[in-house]
Amino acid sequence: MEVVEVFHMNEGNGDTSYANNSVGQKNVILRTKPTTEEAITDLYNSLCPETISIADLGCSSGPNTFLVVFDIIRAVEKLRKITGTHSPEYVVHLSDLPSNDFNSIFRSLPRYVEDFKKEMGDGFGDCFFAGVGGSFYGRLFPSKTLHFVHSSNSLHWLSQIPKGLEENKGNIRIATSSPPSVIKAYYEQFERDFLTFLKARSEELVTGGRMVLYFSGRKSEIHNPIHDVLNIWTLLAKCLKDLVTKGLVEEEKLNSFNIPIYAASLKEVKMVVEKEGSFSINVLEGFTYDFSESVKDGKAITNSVRALVESLVVNHFGRGVIDQVFNKYEEMIGECMAEFVKEEFINIVSLTKI
Ligand SMILES: C[S@@+](CC[C@H](N)C(=O)[O-])C[C@H]1O[C@@H](n2cnc3c(N)ncnc32)[C@H](O)[C@@H]1O
C-alpha cells in the first residue's frame, strides 16, 4: 500500500475530525514556538528578503494550519517594525498529501486572513496563499525558491509501510516482541525517507534558508520499553485483535497491518542530516510531552487517534469495522486509563541550508 495515496487526517469539522481533535499537536506547536521564532528571526536578519516564501509541510486542516503560519509572519512583522523597514510580501505554501482536506483550509482562509490583517494593522505587506498537494518525500517547489520550511507533527510518518515486516505478527509497529529484522526494516525506511526529504528541501531552499521540523521521536537508543506499555498504539492493536477473536477479521489480515510510523532518536536524526550534508544544525533537542494535559478523557483520546489513523484502518480492513474498532477503543481506555502511558517524546530540529 502506498501511504501517500490513501493517508489523510479526518476531514471537515465533525466530532472525529482532525480540526476538532488536534489540541495535543497544537500544544506541541506552542512548546516549540521559541525555536521557530529564533529561526525566522535569524533568517530575516541575515537575508532580509523583499518577498518571503514560507512552506508548511504536512499542514493538515483546522486551526493548527493557520496557527503556525501566522506565528511565523507575526515574528517577521515584529522585527521589521523594530527596525523600521517596510513589510515584505509573504508567499505561504500550505502543503500536504493530495487527499488532505484543502477545501476546508481554503474555505476558512478569508475569515482567518481578515482577522489577521486587522491584528497586524497598517503597513502590513500582501500575503499570498497557495495549496500544494504532494508528498514531502519528493520535490514540491522550484529550485531555490523557499526561505523558510516548517513541519510540525508529521515527519514520523513514513512514505510507505517498510518491506520485510512478516515477522511482526501481533504488533502493528515496533514492539518488544518485534525481531531485529523488523526494527532494521523500519529504521532503513526512515533513513531513506528522511534523506529524500532533506535532499528535496536542499534543492528548494535558498542558501541560508531555514527549516524547523518537529516530530515524534524516542528518548533512548533502544526501542523499548515505552512502545510496549499500554499506549495509543498498543491499545489499537488490542482492539484489532478483538475483531479477530469475534471472527470479524481474518488473523492473516491483522498480521499484515502495520502503521508506517518511526520514532527516530536524536542520534539517528543527526546521522541522517550529516549524511545528506546540505544543512548545518542549529538546534537538535527533544522534550517529553504529556498529552493528558490536552486530552483529558477516554473519548477525547479515542477521537484523536481516530482522526489520525481512520484512513489507514479503513483502507486495510474496510469501512464496515471502523465504528466497532473505536467503540472498543473507548470502552477499553475507560478501563485502563490509570496504566495508560500518555507521554510522547518530541524531536526538535532547526537547520540552515549551507
Ligand atoms: C498529525 S498531522 C500534523 C498537522 C499539523 N502540521 C499539526 O501540527 O497539527 C500530520 C500531517 O502530515 C501529513 N503527511 C504525512 N505524510 C506525508 C507526506 N509524505 N507528505 C506530505 N504530508 C504528509 C498528513 O497528511 C497529516 O496532515
Side-chain angles (χ1 to χ4, degrees), residues 20-294:
N20 278 327
N21 293 284
S22 45
V23 186
Q25 288 87 345
K26 174 186 167 189
N27 287 334
V28 170
I29 293 170
L30 295 177
R31 278 279 290 270
T32 48
K33 199 171 151 180
T35 311
T36 308
E37 274 185 12
E38 195 176 58
I40 188 76
T41 301
D42 282 357
L43 172 99
Y44 187 70
N45 283 338
S46 60
L47 300 185
C48 223
E50 286 281 304
T51 301
I52 299 193
S53 183
I54 300 163
D56 186 36
L57 307 184
C59 65
S60 197
S61 60
N64 293 1
T65 305
F66 298 106
L67 174 73
V68 162
V69 162
F70 290 156
D71 271 350
I72 294 169
I73 298 178
R74 231 178 243 119
V76 176
E77 284 298 299
K78 198 168 121 192
L79 266 182
R80 70 98 191 159
K81 279 178 186 160
I82 293 169
T83 52
T85 39
H86 68 269
S87 181
E89 280 186 334
Y90 296 93
V91 180
V92 178
H93 304 279
L94 300 173
S95 180
D96 206 297
L97 292 170
S99 47
N100 182 53
D101 190 0
F102 285 102
N103 284 339
S104 287
I105 298 181
F106 285 95
R107 260 189 229 118
S108 54
L109 185 69
R111 180 168 47 85
Y112 277 99
V113 172
E114 198 183 315
D115 289 349
F116 187 64
K117 279 188 172 162
K118 275 190 201 138
E119 182 196 323
M120 291 296 101
D122 289 342
F124 179 46
D126 283 326
C127 281
F128 303 94
F129 288 85
V132 179
S135 171
F136 49 51
Y137 295 124
R139 284 290 299 271
L140 293 165
F141 305 98
S143 302
K144 299 187 193 319
T145 53
L146 298 179
H147 296 99
F148 194 80
V149 170
H150 179 275
S151 178
S152 54
N153 302 304
S154 302
L155 270 159
H156 45 271
W157 290 101
L158 302 171
S159 67
Q160 60 176 67
I161 296 164
K163 305 258 183 306
L165 301 186
E166 295 75 17
E167 300 305 314
N168 207 27
K169 292 191 175 65
N171 304 314
I172 59 170
R173 56 175 297 193
I174 293 176
T176 311
S177 58
S178 302
S181 63
V182 167
I183 295 176
K184 185 168 179 276
Y186 264 103
Y187 174 73
E188 286 177 355
Q189 187 62 51
F190 163 76
E191 183 179 317
R192 262 193 307 278
D193 283 346
F194 195 43
L195 269 174
T196 311
F197 176 90
L198 293 171
K199 175 97 182 66
R201 303 297 83 77
S202 79
E203 284 161 16
E204 296 163 351
L205 275 159
V206 299
T207 302
R210 295 292 298 256
M211 180 149 78
V212 175
L213 317 169
Y214 38 97
F215 48 98
S216 297
R218 65 181 203 281
K219 201 171 186 170
S220 81
E221 286 313 305
I222 53 162
H223 284 267
N224 311 315
I226 194 80
H227 295 298
D228 235 17
V229 291
L230 197 58
N231 63 22
I232 58 169
W233 303 113
T234 48
L235 190 58
L236 180 60
K238 278 180 197 283
C239 296
L240 294 169
K241 275 178 205 158
D242 182 64
L243 294 182
V244 176
T245 311
K246 289 183 174 142
L248 297 171
V249 158
E250 298 283 313
E251 189 159 13
E252 266 318 292
K253 192 81 183 152
L254 175 59
N255 285 340
S256 60
F257 182 68
N258 285 287
I259 304 266
I261 273 190
Y262 184 77
S265 69
L266 289 169
K267 192 173 160 193
E268 287 169 343
V269 172
K270 184 166 187 272
M271 244 157 46
V272 182
V273 172
E274 287 173 351
K275 185 169 181 181
E276 196 280 330
S278 309
F279 293 91
S280 62
I281 299 176
N282 302 93
V283 177
L284 180 68
E285 59 192 30
F287 66 94
T288 303
Y289 171 64
D290 178 354
F291 63 80
S292 65
E293 289 164 18
S294 329

Side-chain angles (χ1 to χ4, degrees), residues 323-335:
D323 285 336
Q324 217 154 344
V325 171
F326 286 100
N327 289 343
K328 188 74 191 167
Y329 201 100
E330 195 179 333
E331 180 193 317
M332 286 177 85
I333 206 168
E335 291 160 7

Side-chain angles (χ1 to χ4, degrees), residues 297-318:
D297 58 37
K299 186 162 191 64
I301 297 178
T302 305
N303 283 347
S304 313
V305 177
R306 184 164 178 169
L308 288 182
V309 293
E310 179 160 337
S311 60
L312 299 178
V313 175
V314 166
N315 181 63
H316 193 83
F317 297 101

